[in-house]
Amino acid sequence: MGNQIQAWLESLRLKTLPLAVAAIMTGSALASWAGHFKWPVALLALLTASLLQILSNLANDYGDVTKGSDTEKRIGPMRGMQKGLITAQQMKAALKITVLLSCLSGISLITVACHSPNDIIGFLGLGLLAIIAAITYTVGAKPYGYMGLGDLSVLIFFGWLSVLGTYYLQTKTFSLDTVLPATACGLLSVAVLNINNLRDIEIDRQNGKNTLAVRLGGKKARYYHAALLTGAMLCFVIFTLFYLNNWYNWLFLLSFPLLFQHMLQVLRDPTAEGMRPKLVQMVKAALLTNILFSIGLILN
């Protein structure tokens, strides 16, 4: 029983939830900066984003195992289905339950936050799109994660949609100003995915999982990683220069030494095995950067 519970916890990948938290937190901090922060909306958005993240994680396990991408040679941690502790039928049932919970949470969010028919229809459509994207990343005849489109999807859903959507649901307005921090948040999440793909690059290549890292090759994928981090940092800096004017708005700079150190380590380490500890490091750095940026906005 203990092994089965551990297997499910491994498949849920709760350590990835900070990415969902960071996006909703940044969007809510921007709403606070605009003077329209709403606790019920922020909490329901956080719950919905977390459930969608879990849905994506479970679907990822199911898709990779059924397609043969997760083998004993994989550098990353073995998960429930790979170990044989979770059957395909059990994972399908878990996926259906998570879809149901995501729908209930999303509908609750829309009920609380949306009042116009256009907003209701629009966010119902976006919610349905998010569920489809979470599942089809690795599941289906032509999963887009196997075609190198995962990075774009992460930028859209963990950056633009999560941050701008959270902001809109609280303020009822769209502001072009907020695109910069939303892009920064998305780029940091893409960097997390890129480290994951660099770690698994050899196994993915052998099994036909053509992630962007596989398409670029190890060396160029590391330069791409540096570009992601540099782009994120520039987006935060440009936004702060143009729209904020207090010293505490620059608190996010405290995380830059960690991001630079991480960047140099990735550029200097050509091995897939060396990327293993960098994954958790990147998640923590992304979360810290967004927390410090959000604190600066709230203090403002």
Side-chain angles (χ1 to χ4, degrees):
M1 183 64 179
N3 287 340
Q4 185 120 30
I5 292 173
Q6 182 63 30
W8 280 110
L9 288 174
E10 289 168 351
S11 292
L12 290 174
R13 302 189 208 179
L14 299 180
K15 290 181 180 179
T16 64
L17 292 187
L19 299 180
V21 172
I24 304 305
M25 177 181 60
T26 300
S28 296
L30 287 165
S32 174
W33 171 62
H36 295 282
F37 177 75
K38 295 179 177 65
W39 271 111
V41 176
L43 291 174
L44 282 169
L46 180 60
L47 176 61
T48 304
S50 298
L51 286 168
L52 288 169
Q53 174 69 61
I54 289 172
L55 175 63
S56 178
N57 292 343
L58 293 175
N60 197 347
D61 274 17
Y62 177 81
D64 281 344
V65 171
T66 54
K67 286 178 171 57
S69 299
D70 277 356
T71 68
E72 67 278 356
K73 295 180 181 179
R74 183 171 169 270
I75 295 174
M78 290 184 67
R79 309 197 189 282
M81 281 191 70
Q82 191 181 357
K83 292 177 179 177
L85 295 173
I86 298 173
T87 66
Q89 287 303 114
Q90 288 174 323
M91 187 59 80
K92 283 182 181 179
L95 285 169
K96 291 176 183 177
I97 292 170
T98 311
V99 167
L100 177 60
L101 292 174
S102 298
C103 288
L104 290 174
S105 180
I107 290 170
S108 299
L109 172 60
I110 290 169
T111 301
V112 169
C114 297
H115 306 295
S116 74
N118 287 340
D119 284 353
I120 292 170
I121 293 170
F123 276 93
L124 281 173
L126 289 172
L128 179 61
L129 183 63
I131 289 173
I132 293 171
I135 294 173
T136 57
Y137 177 65
T138 57
V139 176
K142 293 184 177 180
Y144 65 88
Y146 281 63
M147 297 185 286
L149 297 174
D151 298 58
L152 178 60
S153 175
V154 168
L155 176 60
I156 291 171
F157 288 100
F158 285 88
W160 298 331
L161 183 58
S162 292
V163 176
L164 301 179
T166 302
Y167 177 84
Y168 181 87
L169 287 171
Q170 295 179 66
T171 64
K172 297 299 183 291
T173 59
F174 170 76
S175 173
L176 198 60
D177 310 345
T178 58
V179 173
L180 280 168
T183 302
C185 188
L187 290 174
L188 291 174
S189 293
V190 175
V192 172
L193 176 64
N194 189 54
I195 289 293
N196 181 80
N197 292 340
L198 277 169
R199 182 196 66 191
D200 297 336
I201 190 168
E202 295 303 328
I203 297 299
D204 287 345
R205 182 183 288 115
Q206 292 168 19
N207 289 283
K209 187 176 183 180
N210 294 314
T211 62
L212 190 55
V214 169
R215 291 180 180 275
L216 291 173
K219 187 175 182 179
K220 289 182 180 178
R222 282 167 172 78
Y223 291 146
Y224 167 63
H225 192 74
L228 290 172
L229 297 184
T230 302
M233 289 186 279
L234 282 174
C235 285
F236 280 131
V237 168
I238 293 169
F239 176 83
T240 305
L241 278 173
F242 276 88
Y243 302 109
L244 303 172
N245 54 18
N246 292 299
W247 66 266
Y248 45 75
N249 299 134
W250 295 96
L251 284 172
F252 64 87
L253 290 178
L254 294 173
S255 69
F256 278 20
L258 292 176
L259 290 171
F260 277 118
Q261 182 185 38
H262 169 85
M263 183 195 303
L264 291 174
Q265 289 173 349
V266 171
L267 288 171
R268 291 169 179 170
D269 190 338
T271 67
E273 179 67 41
M275 297 302 103
R276 192 178 210 169
K278 303 295 187 296
L279 184 59
V280 175
Q281 186 185 79
M282 186 61 237
V283 171
K284 290 179 178 178
L287 181 60
L288 177 62
T289 305
N290 281 284
I291 287 174
L292 292 173
F293 177 74
S294 298
I295 290 172
L297 285 175
I298 293 167
L299 290 174
N300 202 69

